[in-house]
């Protein structure tokens, strides 16, 4: 197993382009070609609307990553990313 950690950098803004601080992020990932999921993640708040999310993606292949963001006073946001993890 690869058990590699993959890092994603996020920048959250409101409709005016102002950074969203103190958001609660909920990342999850699943393989699109088999029954494999991971919720193992680390989230860091860097300030000024910047965040990093680290996910352990255990196998090479296609992954669907869902990130939900909630911040007080803002509508909840959700983004889906599709990535291909290469074998080493």
């Amino acid at each position: 197993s690869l058990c590699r950690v993959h890092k994603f950098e996020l920048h959250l803004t409101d409709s005016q382009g102002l950074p969203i601080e103190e958001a609660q992020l909920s990342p999850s990932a699943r393989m699109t070609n088999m029954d494999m999921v991971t919720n193992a993640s680390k989230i860091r708040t860097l300030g000024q609307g910047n965040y990093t999310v680290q996910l352990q993606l255990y196998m090479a292949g296609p992954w669907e990553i869902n990130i939900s963001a909630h911040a007080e006073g803002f509508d909840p946001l959700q983004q889906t990313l599709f990535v291909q993890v290469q074998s080493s």
Side-chain angles (χ1 to χ4, degrees), residues 16-33:
Q16 307 298 313
L18 298 173
I20 297 175
E21 301 285 346
E22 305 299 321
Q24 301 299 310
L25 302 180
S26 302
S28 64
R30 70 176 192 88
M31 290 197 81
T32 60
N33 63 347

Side-chain angles (χ1 to χ4, degrees), residues 48-78:
Q48 299 183 335
N50 296 305
Y51 302 83
T52 59
V53 174
Q54 292 182 339
L55 286 167
Q56 285 190 352
L57 304 181
Y58 299 101
M59 292 182 66
W63 287 83
E64 174 185 307
I65 298 166
N66 290 294
I67 300 174
S68 298
H70 301 274
E72 194 170 324
F74 296 95
D75 292 334
L77 301 170
Q78 181 162 329

